[in-house]
Amino acid sequence: MAKPKIFVLDTNIPLHDYKSIRHFQDNDLVIPIAVIEELDKFKKGNDTLSFNARGFLRELDKITDGRLFGKDGVPIGPKLGNIKIEPNHPFPDQLKDLFLDDIQDHRILATAIWVRDQHPDRFTALVTKDINLRMKAKAAGMAVQDYLTDRVQDDHVEVAQKEVEVRGDIPADVLQKLAYGSDTAIDWKLIVQKEPRPNQLYKFRWDAHSDEGLVCARYDARRKQVVLVKNRQAYGIRPRNEEQRFALDACLNPDIQLVSLTGGAGTGKTLLALAAALEQEKDFDQIILTRPTIVLGNQDIGFLPGDQKTKMSPFIQPMLDNINVIKAQFRPSSKEALHIEALLKEEKLLISPLAYIRGRSLGKVFFIVDEAQNLTPHEVKTIITRAGEGTKMIFTGDIFQIDSPYLDQWSNGLTHLGEKMNGQKLFQHIFLRKGERSELSEIASKLL
């Protein structure tokens, strides 16, 4: 029978998921003392890293419950392995000149190599989300792995990007009823044999070989019908392609309380969400437009120079740009433009970095989270679970443009949202393919 494996955890693993030590089955875990020293720097603060650092240290303290780690460590729990904290160890003689700098990453790697050499009969690997450390470990001959517990499989990411089904085999009379009938809806049995998942999207061709005049539709699980997605407009903003039509329809639909919009730069994700919010502002107590603040290290936004307005300016300017695009649809003296100014002044339309609204209760709020690909799955869950009665949430982002060093297209919160909520009646995901910012932007996105 194979012996349990040994995994040596880097600091970014508990910072990413403070319950990670319970996700390694019956294998044993080693925490280098350098990791504990690094976690100590993160334990103060209100951001997610600080929350996870404190949570992990509490988990560790609860597991030990006054016991010493000893030679083999202490049991983590039923059907789980043991865990222990290992003091720093130097590199073996043949590797002592491999790295010149005495930094925590090298101490963690040296400790992992020492643990491996002490257990030649067992598989030992360093687990880290730091790509640089993974490369260094490979150079030193140390087995190394990424933390994959919250990683969404490639094929699931691809499915999320191909959620629209294109059909060219629907009888003309059925399409006629869907597009021009009195209730613009048809029974799902007229197009498929198996009931579609809730909010399945369709593009129906009048001609099997032509994309001219496509009929856009969505399966409404409440009505048990495939309904027409009409070409609507919101606060002067009109969709320019079919995906934008789907996106605006979802943002305007009161039955869909959670929407995920993904796509590249200039595809209109945030603009459509904001236009829908302004169109429905009478139905909500407040519209909140926010985004995560990505700063260097563990520094809070407060470390930036200047007063609060100056500190926030780099983060809220892209969101203000979208408001200006909507205002530009109207004359400066029009009631629509003046109404937007009034909403901003009264803070019914609030633009703020995500860190500034942490801990708020979100009741009857139209809540838009921009750049959501920079959030962890835990952060997305935390935000959604704060939703009160009458709240609608829109998450927008590009999973291929991630600024966080420990997230990628498979493990970020936006990808997780689409994976876990897929098939729920109150959730809709749309992948926007075509850039509509300008012809130059579209060409650059494709060629550069």
Side-chain angles (χ1 to χ4, degrees), residues 114-144:
W114 183 88
V115 171
R116 178 199 63 188
D117 293 344
Q118 296 302 305
H119 302 86
D121 58 334
R122 298 173 65 182
F123 173 82
T124 303
L126 173 64
V127 182
T128 177
K129 297 192 75 64
D130 187 333
I131 296 176
N132 283 348
L133 184 54
R134 291 209 293 269
M135 295 303 104
K136 291 178 180 180
K138 292 176 182 179
M142 178 71 203
V144 62

PDB file of all heavy atoms in Angstrom, residues 114-144:
ATOM      1  N   TRP A 114      14.756  19.684   2.270  1.00  0.00           N
ATOM      2  CA  TRP A 114      15.181  18.938   3.470  1.00  0.00           C
ATOM      3  C   TRP A 114      14.132  17.891   3.847  1.00  0.00           C
ATOM      4  O   TRP A 114      14.478  16.747   4.174  1.00  0.00           O
ATOM      5  CB  TRP A 114      15.391  19.916   4.631  1.00  0.00           C
ATOM      6  CG  TRP A 114      15.895  19.259   5.886  1.00  0.00           C
ATOM      7  CD1 TRP A 114      17.184  19.036   6.243  1.00  0.00           C
ATOM      8  CD2 TRP A 114      15.085  18.716   6.945  1.00  0.00           C
ATOM      9  NE1 TRP A 114      17.262  18.391   7.454  1.00  0.00           N
ATOM     10  CE2 TRP A 114      15.964  18.180   7.909  1.00  0.00           C
ATOM     11  CE3 TRP A 114      13.718  18.621   7.173  1.00  0.00           C
ATOM     12  CZ2 TRP A 114      15.528  17.570   9.078  1.00  0.00           C
ATOM     13  CZ3 TRP A 114      13.268  18.008   8.333  1.00  0.00           C
ATOM     14  CH2 TRP A 114      14.164  17.500   9.269  1.00  0.00           C
ATOM     15  N   VAL A 115      12.857  18.261   3.818  1.00  0.00           N
ATOM     16  CA  VAL A 115      11.780  17.322   4.151  1.00  0.00           C
ATOM     17  C   VAL A 115      11.790  16.150   3.172  1.00  0.00           C
ATOM     18  O   VAL A 115      11.664  14.983   3.575  1.00  0.00           O
ATOM     19  CB  VAL A 115      10.403  18.035   4.124  1.00  0.00           C
ATOM     20  CG1 VAL A 115       9.262  17.029   4.237  1.00  0.00           C
ATOM     21  CG2 VAL A 115      10.314  19.068   5.243  1.00  0.00           C
ATOM     22  N   ARG A 116      11.968  16.446   1.884  1.00  0.00           N
ATOM     23  CA  ARG A 116      12.027  15.375   0.876  1.00  0.00           C
ATOM     24  C   ARG A 116      13.173  14.408   1.171  1.00  0.00           C
ATOM     25  O   ARG A 116      12.997  13.174   1.108  1.00  0.00           O
ATOM     26  CB  ARG A 116      12.214  15.993  -0.511  1.00  0.00           C
ATOM     27  CG  ARG A 116      12.329  14.980  -1.646  1.00  0.00           C
ATOM     28  CD  ARG A 116      12.953  15.599  -2.870  1.00  0.00           C
ATOM     29  NE  ARG A 116      14.337  16.035  -2.627  1.00  0.00           N
ATOM     30  CZ  ARG A 116      15.055  16.745  -3.483  1.00  0.00           C
ATOM     31  NH1 ARG A 116      14.530  17.134  -4.632  1.00  0.00           N
ATOM     32  NH2 ARG A 116      16.299  17.090  -3.180  1.00  0.00           N
ATOM     33  N   ASP A 117      14.349  14.969   1.490  1.00  0.00           N
ATOM     34  CA  ASP A 117      15.520  14.117   1.727  1.00  0.00           C
ATOM     35  C   ASP A 117      15.388  13.287   2.998  1.00  0.00           C
ATOM     36  O   ASP A 117      16.014  12.230   3.121  1.00  0.00           O
ATOM     37  CB  ASP A 117      16.786  14.981   1.793  1.00  0.00           C
ATOM     38  CG  ASP A 117      17.113  15.630   0.447  1.00  0.00           C
ATOM     39  OD1 ASP A 117      16.550  15.177  -0.573  1.00  0.00           O
ATOM     40  OD2 ASP A 117      17.919  16.584   0.428  1.00  0.00           O
ATOM     41  N   GLN A 118      14.586  13.764   3.953  1.00  0.00           N
ATOM     42  CA  GLN A 118      14.365  13.010   5.188  1.00  0.00           C
ATOM     43  C   GLN A 118      13.371  11.865   5.006  1.00  0.00           C
ATOM     44  O   GLN A 118      13.274  10.984   5.863  1.00  0.00           O
ATOM     45  CB  GLN A 118      13.855  13.952   6.293  1.00  0.00           C
ATOM     46  CG  GLN A 118      14.840  15.034   6.704  1.00  0.00           C
ATOM     47  CD  GLN A 118      16.155  14.477   7.196  1.00  0.00           C
ATOM     48  OE1 GLN A 118      16.177  13.646   8.120  1.00  0.00           O
ATOM     49  NE2 GLN A 118      17.257  14.907   6.581  1.00  0.00           N
ATOM     50  N   HIS A 119      12.635  11.884   3.909  1.00  0.00           N
ATOM     51  CA  HIS A 119      11.622  10.849   3.658  1.00  0.00           C
ATOM     52  C   HIS A 119      11.793  10.313   2.240  1.00  0.00           C
ATOM     53  O   HIS A 119      10.925  10.532   1.365  1.00  0.00           O
ATOM     54  CB  HIS A 119      10.213  11.411   3.849  1.00  0.00           C
ATOM     55  CG  HIS A 119       9.957  11.978   5.208  1.00  0.00           C
ATOM     56  ND1 HIS A 119      10.267  13.272   5.553  1.00  0.00           N
ATOM     57  CD2 HIS A 119       9.423  11.402   6.327  1.00  0.00           C
ATOM     58  CE1 HIS A 119       9.930  13.493   6.815  1.00  0.00           C
ATOM     59  NE2 HIS A 119       9.422  12.362   7.307  1.00  0.00           N
ATOM     60  N   PRO A 120      12.904   9.625   1.970  1.00  0.00           N
ATOM     61  CA  PRO A 120      13.166   9.133   0.603  1.00  0.00           C
ATOM     62  C   PRO A 120      12.146   8.115   0.114  1.00  0.00           C
ATOM     63  O   PRO A 120      12.036   7.875  -1.094  1.00  0.00           O
ATOM     64  CB  PRO A 120      14.568   8.521   0.718  1.00  0.00           C
ATOM     65  CG  PRO A 120      14.721   8.191   2.172  1.00  0.00           C
ATOM     66  CD  PRO A 120      13.963   9.231   2.914  1.00  0.00           C
ATOM     67  N   ASP A 121      11.378   7.523   1.023  1.00  0.00           N
ATOM     68  CA  ASP A 121      10.394   6.497   0.649  1.00  0.00           C
ATOM     69  C   ASP A 121       9.010   7.077   0.368  1.00  0.00           C
ATOM     70  O   ASP A 121       8.074   6.330   0.091  1.00  0.00           O
ATOM     71  CB  ASP A 121      10.287   5.450   1.755  1.00  0.00           C
ATOM     72  CG  ASP A 121       9.897   6.065   3.109  1.00  0.00           C
ATOM     73  OD1 ASP A 121      10.189   7.272   3.318  1.00  0.00           O
ATOM     74  OD2 ASP A 121       9.324   5.347   3.948  1.00  0.00           O
ATOM     75  N   ARG A 122       8.886   8.394   0.439  1.00  0.00           N
ATOM     76  CA  ARG A 122       7.574   9.018   0.235  1.00  0.00           C
ATOM     77  C   ARG A 122       7.675  10.145  -0.796  1.00  0.00           C
ATOM     78  O   ARG A 122       8.696  10.828  -0.886  1.00  0.00           O
ATOM     79  CB  ARG A 122       7.014   9.565   1.556  1.00  0.00           C
ATOM     80  CG  ARG A 122       6.786   8.496   2.606  1.00  0.00           C
ATOM     81  CD  ARG A 122       6.396   9.094   3.943  1.00  0.00           C
ATOM     82  NE  ARG A 122       5.106   9.781   3.891  1.00  0.00           N
ATOM     83  CZ  ARG A 122       4.568  10.415   4.933  1.00  0.00           C
ATOM     84  NH1 ARG A 122       5.231  10.448   6.102  1.00  0.00           N
ATOM     85  NH2 ARG A 122       3.401  11.014   4.818  1.00  0.00           N
ATOM     86  N   PHE A 123       6.597  10.329  -1.554  1.00  0.00           N
ATOM     87  CA  PHE A 123       6.563  11.435  -2.513  1.00  0.00           C
ATOM     88  C   PHE A 123       6.385  12.746  -1.756  1.00  0.00           C
ATOM     89  O   PHE A 123       5.471  12.886  -0.932  1.00  0.00           O
ATOM     90  CB  PHE A 123       5.418  11.252  -3.501  1.00  0.00           C
ATOM     91  CG  PHE A 123       5.220  12.438  -4.418  1.00  0.00           C
ATOM     92  CD1 PHE A 123       6.015  12.593  -5.548  1.00  0.00           C
ATOM     93  CD2 PHE A 123       4.251  13.401  -4.143  1.00  0.00           C
ATOM     94  CE1 PHE A 123       5.846  13.691  -6.390  1.00  0.00           C
ATOM     95  CE2 PHE A 123       4.080  14.491  -4.978  1.00  0.00           C
ATOM     96  CZ  PHE A 123       4.876  14.638  -6.106  1.00  0.00           C
ATOM     97  N   THR A 124       7.250  13.711  -2.043  1.00  0.00           N
ATOM     98  CA  THR A 124       7.187  15.028  -1.389  1.00  0.00           C
ATOM     99  C   THR A 124       7.169  16.110  -2.460  1.00  0.00           C
ATOM    100  O   THR A 124       7.943  16.064  -3.413  1.00  0.00           O
ATOM    101  CB  THR A 124       8.392  15.241  -0.458  1.00  0.00           C
ATOM    102  OG1 THR A 124       8.432  14.183   0.513  1.00  0.00           O
ATOM    103  CG2 THR A 124       8.294  16.582   0.257  1.00  0.00           C
ATOM    104  N   ALA A 125       6.296  17.093  -2.292  1.00  0.00           N
ATOM    105  CA  ALA A 125       6.200  18.192  -3.263  1.00  0.00           C
ATOM    106  C   ALA A 125       5.934  19.505  -2.545  1.00  0.00           C
ATOM    107  O   ALA A 125       5.269  19.540  -1.506  1.00  0.00           O
ATOM    108  CB  ALA A 125       5.092  17.921  -4.278  1.00  0.00           C
ATOM    109  N   LEU A 126       6.502  20.561  -3.110  1.00  0.00           N
ATOM    110  CA  LEU A 126       6.200  21.919  -2.664  1.00  0.00           C
ATOM    111  C   LEU A 126       4.948  22.383  -3.399  1.00  0.00           C
ATOM    112  O   LEU A 126       4.827  22.202  -4.609  1.00  0.00           O
ATOM    113  CB  LEU A 126       7.379  22.840  -2.971  1.00  0.00           C
ATOM    114  CG  LEU A 126       7.183  24.336  -2.734  1.00  0.00           C
ATOM    115  CD1 LEU A 126       6.947  24.628  -1.253  1.00  0.00           C
ATOM    116  CD2 LEU A 126       8.377  25.127  -3.254  1.00  0.00           C
ATOM    117  N   VAL A 127       4.001  22.979  -2.667  1.00  0.00           N
ATOM    118  CA  VAL A 127       2.758  23.465  -3.271  1.00  0.00           C
ATOM    119  C   VAL A 127       2.753  24.990  -3.188  1.00  0.00           C
ATOM    120  O   VAL A 127       2.815  25.561  -2.092  1.00  0.00           O
ATOM    121  CB  VAL A 127       1.520  22.899  -2.554  1.00  0.00           C
ATOM    122  CG1 VAL A 127       0.242  23.388  -3.244  1.00  0.00           C
ATOM    123  CG2 VAL A 127       1.559  21.387  -2.535  1.00  0.00           C
ATOM    124  N   THR A 128       2.723  25.655  -4.341  1.00  0.00           N
ATOM    125  CA  THR A 128       2.747  27.115  -4.381  1.00  0.00           C
ATOM    126  C   THR A 128       2.012  27.638  -5.598  1.00  0.00           C
ATOM    127  O   THR A 128       1.977  26.981  -6.643  1.00  0.00           O
ATOM    128  CB  THR A 128       4.196  27.641  -4.392  1.00  0.00           C
ATOM    129  OG1 THR A 128       4.186  29.074  -4.491  1.00  0.00           O
ATOM    130  CG2 THR A 128       4.985  27.078  -5.568  1.00  0.00           C
ATOM    131  N   LYS A 129       1.421  28.809  -5.449  1.00  0.00           N
ATOM    132  CA  LYS A 129       0.786  29.478  -6.578  1.00  0.00           C
ATOM    133  C   LYS A 129       1.726  30.504  -7.197  1.00  0.00           C
ATOM    134  O   LYS A 129       1.347  31.204  -8.146  1.00  0.00           O
ATOM    135  CB  LYS A 129      -0.518  30.152  -6.136  1.00  0.00           C
ATOM    136  CG  LYS A 129      -1.561  29.161  -5.626  1.00  0.00           C
ATOM    137  CD  LYS A 129      -2.915  29.793  -5.466  1.00  0.00           C
ATOM    138  CE  LYS A 129      -3.584  30.008  -6.808  1.00  0.00           C
ATOM    139  NZ  LYS A 129      -3.891  28.778  -7.537  1.00  0.00           N
ATOM    140  N   ASP A 130       2.935  30.612  -6.669  1.00  0.00           N
ATOM    141  CA  ASP A 130       3.940  31.554  -7.162  1.00  0.00           C
ATOM    142  C   ASP A 130       4.703  30.896  -8.319  1.00  0.00           C
ATOM    143  O   ASP A 130       5.460  29.943  -8.117  1.00  0.00           O
ATOM    144  CB  ASP A 130       4.893  31.921  -6.026  1.00  0.00           C
ATOM    145  CG  ASP A 130       5.867  33.021  -6.420  1.00  0.00           C
ATOM    146  OD1 ASP A 130       6.176  33.144  -7.613  1.00  0.00           O
ATOM    147  OD2 ASP A 130       6.336  33.737  -5.518  1.00  0.00           O
ATOM    148  N   ILE A 131       4.505  31.398  -9.537  1.00  0.00           N
ATOM    149  CA  ILE A 131       5.124  30.788 -10.716  1.00  0.00           C
ATOM    150  C   ILE A 131       6.646  30.853 -10.619  1.00  0.00           C
ATOM    151  O   ILE A 131       7.348  29.892 -10.973  1.00  0.00           O
ATOM    152  CB  ILE A 131       4.640  31.472 -12.003  1.00  0.00           C
ATOM    153  CG1 ILE A 131       3.136  31.256 -12.181  1.00  0.00           C
ATOM    154  CG2 ILE A 131       5.383  30.944 -13.228  1.00  0.00           C
ATOM    155  CD1 ILE A 131       2.548  31.972 -13.386  1.00  0.00           C
ATOM    156  N   ASN A 132       7.194  31.968 -10.128  1.00  0.00           N
ATOM    157  CA  ASN A 132       8.646  32.105 -10.005  1.00  0.00           C
ATOM    158  C   ASN A 132       9.231  31.053  -9.072  1.00  0.00           C
ATOM    159  O   ASN A 132      10.264  30.446  -9.363  1.00  0.00           O
ATOM    160  CB  ASN A 132       9.016  33.508  -9.498  1.00  0.00           C
ATOM    161  CG  ASN A 132       8.925  34.555 -10.593  1.00  0.00           C
ATOM    162  OD1 ASN A 132       8.796  34.222 -11.761  1.00  0.00           O
ATOM    163  ND2 ASN A 132       8.978  35.808 -10.201  1.00  0.00           N
ATOM    164  N   LEU A 133       8.554  30.844  -7.946  1.00  0.00           N
ATOM    165  CA  LEU A 133       9.043  29.840  -7.000  1.00  0.00           C
ATOM    166  C   LEU A 133       8.931  28.443  -7.603  1.00  0.00           C
ATOM    167  O   LEU A 133       9.788  27.588  -7.359  1.00  0.00           O
ATOM    168  CB  LEU A 133       8.270  29.929  -5.680  1.00  0.00           C
ATOM    169  CG  LEU A 133       8.741  28.991  -4.567  1.00  0.00           C
ATOM    170  CD1 LEU A 133      10.245  29.155  -4.299  1.00  0.00           C
ATOM    171  CD2 LEU A 133       7.953  29.225  -3.281  1.00  0.00           C
ATOM    172  N   ARG A 134       7.898  28.216  -8.410  1.00  0.00           N
ATOM    173  CA  ARG A 134       7.779  26.907  -9.066  1.00  0.00           C
ATOM    174  C   ARG A 134       8.953  26.683 -10.015  1.00  0.00           C
ATOM    175  O   ARG A 134       9.502  25.576 -10.103  1.00  0.00           O
ATOM    176  CB  ARG A 134       6.445  26.797  -9.812  1.00  0.00           C
ATOM    177  CG  ARG A 134       5.230  26.716  -8.905  1.00  0.00           C
ATOM    178  CD  ARG A 134       4.086  25.940  -9.541  1.00  0.00           C
ATOM    179  NE  ARG A 134       3.510  26.600 -10.693  1.00  0.00           N
ATOM    180  CZ  ARG A 134       2.492  27.448 -10.643  1.00  0.00           C
ATOM    181  NH1 ARG A 134       1.939  27.758  -9.486  1.00  0.00           N
ATOM    182  NH2 ARG A 134       2.005  27.986 -11.743  1.00  0.00           N
ATOM    183  N   MET A 135       9.366  27.737 -10.738  1.00  0.00           N
ATOM    184  CA  MET A 135      10.511  27.611 -11.638  1.00  0.00           C
ATOM    185  C   MET A 135      11.807  27.354 -10.857  1.00  0.00           C
ATOM    186  O   MET A 135      12.640  26.545 -11.261  1.00  0.00           O
ATOM    187  CB  MET A 135      10.656  28.878 -12.483  1.00  0.00           C
ATOM    188  CG  MET A 135       9.500  29.147 -13.447  1.00  0.00           C
ATOM    189  SD  MET A 135       9.183  27.792 -14.603  1.00  0.00           S
ATOM    190  CE  MET A 135       7.710  27.065 -13.869  1.00  0.00           C
ATOM    191  N   LYS A 136      11.973  28.047  -9.742  1.00  0.00           N
ATOM    192  CA  LYS A 136      13.170  27.854  -8.909  1.00  0.00           C
ATOM    193  C   LYS A 136      13.210  26.433  -8.353  1.00  0.00           C
ATOM    194  O   LYS A 136      14.277  25.806  -8.305  1.00  0.00           O
ATOM    195  CB  LYS A 136      13.185  28.864  -7.761  1.00  0.00           C
ATOM    196  CG  LYS A 136      13.425  30.302  -8.204  1.00  0.00           C
ATOM    197  CD  LYS A 136      13.373  31.252  -7.009  1.00  0.00           C
ATOM    198  CE  LYS A 136      13.608  32.690  -7.440  1.00  0.00           C
ATOM    199  NZ  LYS A 136      13.555  33.638  -6.293  1.00  0.00           N
ATOM    200  N   ALA A 137      12.041  25.933  -7.922  1.00  0.00           N
ATOM    201  CA  ALA A 137      11.992  24.576  -7.387  1.00  0.00           C
ATOM    202  C   ALA A 137      12.374  23.554  -8.453  1.00  0.00           C
ATOM    203  O   ALA A 137      13.124  22.598  -8.186  1.00  0.00           O
ATOM    204  CB  ALA A 137      10.593  24.283  -6.838  1.00  0.00           C
ATOM    205  N   LYS A 138      11.880  23.754  -9.668  1.00  0.00           N
ATOM    206  CA  LYS A 138      12.231  22.836 -10.752  1.00  0.00           C
ATOM    207  C   LYS A 138      13.725  22.893 -11.055  1.00  0.00           C
ATOM    208  O   LYS A 138      14.359  21.862 -11.337  1.00  0.00           O
ATOM    209  CB  LYS A 138      11.412  23.179 -12.004  1.00  0.00           C
ATOM    210  CG  LYS A 138       9.915  22.884 -11.851  1.00  0.00           C
ATOM    211  CD  LYS A 138       9.134  23.342 -13.075  1.00  0.00           C
ATOM    212  CE  LYS A 138       7.636  23.084 -12.886  1.00  0.00           C
ATOM    213  NZ  LYS A 138       6.845  23.539 -14.045  1.00  0.00           N
ATOM    214  N   ALA A 139      14.293  24.113 -10.984  1.00  0.00           N
ATOM    215  CA  ALA A 139      15.737  24.247 -11.220  1.00  0.00           C
ATOM    216  C   ALA A 139      16.542  23.523 -10.151  1.00  0.00           C
ATOM    217  O   ALA A 139      17.634  23.013 -10.422  1.00  0.00           O
ATOM    218  CB  ALA A 139      16.127  25.730 -11.252  1.00  0.00           C
ATOM    219  N   ALA A 140      16.003  23.464  -8.942  1.00  0.00           N
ATOM    220  CA  ALA A 140      16.687  22.797  -7.836  1.00  0.00           C
ATOM    221  C   ALA A 140      16.374  21.303  -7.773  1.00  0.00           C
ATOM    222  O   ALA A 140      16.862  20.600  -6.874  1.00  0.00           O
ATOM    223  CB  ALA A 140      16.312  23.465  -6.514  1.00  0.00           C
ATOM    224  N   GLY A 141      15.539  20.804  -8.695  1.00  0.00           N
ATOM    225  CA  GLY A 141      15.209  19.380  -8.715  1.00  0.00           C
ATOM    226  C   GLY A 141      14.143  18.976  -7.724  1.00  0.00           C
ATOM    227  O   GLY A 141      14.007  17.801  -7.391  1.00  0.00           O
ATOM    228  N   MET A 142      13.348  19.957  -7.268  1.00  0.00           N
ATOM    229  CA  MET A 142      12.300  19.692  -6.275  1.00  0.00           C
ATOM    230  C   MET A 142      10.945  19.578  -6.972  1.00  0.00           C
ATOM    231  O   MET A 142      10.570  20.436  -7.783  1.00  0.00           O
ATOM    232  CB  MET A 142      12.258  20.840  -5.252  1.00  0.00           C
ATOM    233  CG  MET A 142      11.172  20.703  -4.197  1.00  0.00           C
ATOM    234  SD  MET A 142      11.570  19.370  -3.035  1.00  0.00           S
ATOM    235  CE  MET A 142       9.916  18.980  -2.424  1.00  0.00           C
ATOM    236  N   ALA A 143      10.204  18.529  -6.660  1.00  0.00           N
ATOM    237  CA  ALA A 143       8.851  18.384  -7.203  1.00  0.00           C
ATOM    238  C   ALA A 143       7.992  19.536  -6.687  1.00  0.00           C
ATOM    239  O   ALA A 143       8.045  19.888  -5.508  1.00  0.00           O
ATOM    240  CB  ALA A 143       8.250  17.048  -6.791  1.00  0.00           C
ATOM    241  N   VAL A 144       7.212  20.122  -7.577  1.00  0.00           N
ATOM    242  CA  VAL A 144       6.413  21.290  -7.202  1.00  0.00           C
ATOM    243  C   VAL A 144       5.073  21.244  -7.918  1.00  0.00           C
ATOM    244  O   VAL A 144       4.971  20.742  -9.042  1.00  0.00           O
ATOM    245  CB  VAL A 144       7.175  22.598  -7.537  1.00  0.00           C
ATOM    246  CG1 VAL A 144       7.432  22.708  -9.031  1.00  0.00           C
ATOM    247  CG2 VAL A 144       6.439  23.830  -7.020  1.00  0.00           C
TER     248      VAL A 144
END
